[in-house]
Amino acid sequence: AAALLIGVGRDEPPEPLRDWTAKLMSFPAGIWLVAAIGIGVIIFGIVQLRLVFRRQLDRRLVLDGMSPAIQRSIMIVCRFGVAARGVVFTLIGLFLVVAAIRANPDEARGIGQAMHALREEPYGQWLLGVVAAGLIAYGVYQFILACYRRVNP
């Protein structure tokens, strides 16, 4: 995402999702399978977005002993990251559903292609920058989980 943002990314990203979608669409009822998978990916993205609004992002995350201001800051970064991930998955799911509706596997897009699609929108550089920052924040969230997760044997 950062390479695309500054303009050094490749113009044509690899297309494994399109190949996979085309192969799946070649089977009987393959279009319906692609649509169902797309709907499942959209639901996953929406669930991720729903997590953002829960009082506690992860019950296993223990931030006791930190000041409330630091806890709030950490949770803002974590929520931003999970929200960005939810948006990306929702976009990918939408592209899969559109590919199924149009019976055109070229409409399917993975993460790289979803980033390209964001870049092509009005204010695309800004949208791409926000999503890239959000995905970095998601990485920070995973690091925080690794450090502060309560593990019950």
Side-chain angles (χ1 to χ4, degrees):
L4 288 174
L5 184 63
I6 61 175
V8 295
R10 296 183 302 193
D11 289 336
E12 282 299 316
E15 301 177 4
L17 184 64
R18 288 181 193 170
D19 297 341
W20 172 85
T21 304
K23 186 171 187 161
L24 191 57
M25 283 184 174
S26 69
F27 295 122
I31 291 173
W32 291 102
L33 288 171
V34 170
I37 291 169
I39 290 169
V41 173
I42 290 169
I43 289 170
F44 179 78
I46 291 170
V47 167
Q48 293 293 296
L49 290 169
R50 189 174 155 252
L51 286 175
V52 172
F53 298 106
R54 289 178 62 189
R55 178 150 174 84
Q56 188 174 8
L57 205 55
D58 191 324
R59 292 186 306 262
R60 298 166 296 179
L61 184 61
V62 180
L63 300 176
D64 299 338
M66 294 183 186
S67 73
I70 292 176
Q71 286 182 15
R72 261 191 316 276
S73 298
I74 287 173
M75 291 312 291
I76 288 170
V77 170
C78 293
R79 288 178 198 282
F80 178 55
V82 172
R85 183 175 191 240
V87 167
V88 169
F89 273 95
T90 302
L91 278 174
I92 292 169
L94 286 171
F95 286 131
L96 283 170
V97 169
V98 167
I101 289 170
R102 295 182 180 169
N104 182 358
D106 289 336
E107 299 283 337
R109 297 181 177 162
I111 292 175
Q113 293 89 0
M115 296 296 160
H116 274 277
L118 276 178
R119 186 175 71 174
E120 301 304 318
E121 293 298 316
Y123 304 104
Q125 297 285 50
W126 292 101
L127 290 172
L128 188 60
V130 169
V131 170
L135 293 175
I136 290 169
Y138 184 75
V140 170
Y141 169 59
Q142 291 300 309
F143 180 74
I144 289 169
L145 274 178
C147 292
Y148 295 102
R149 180 180 283 179
R150 179 183 335 158
V151 178
N152 294 327

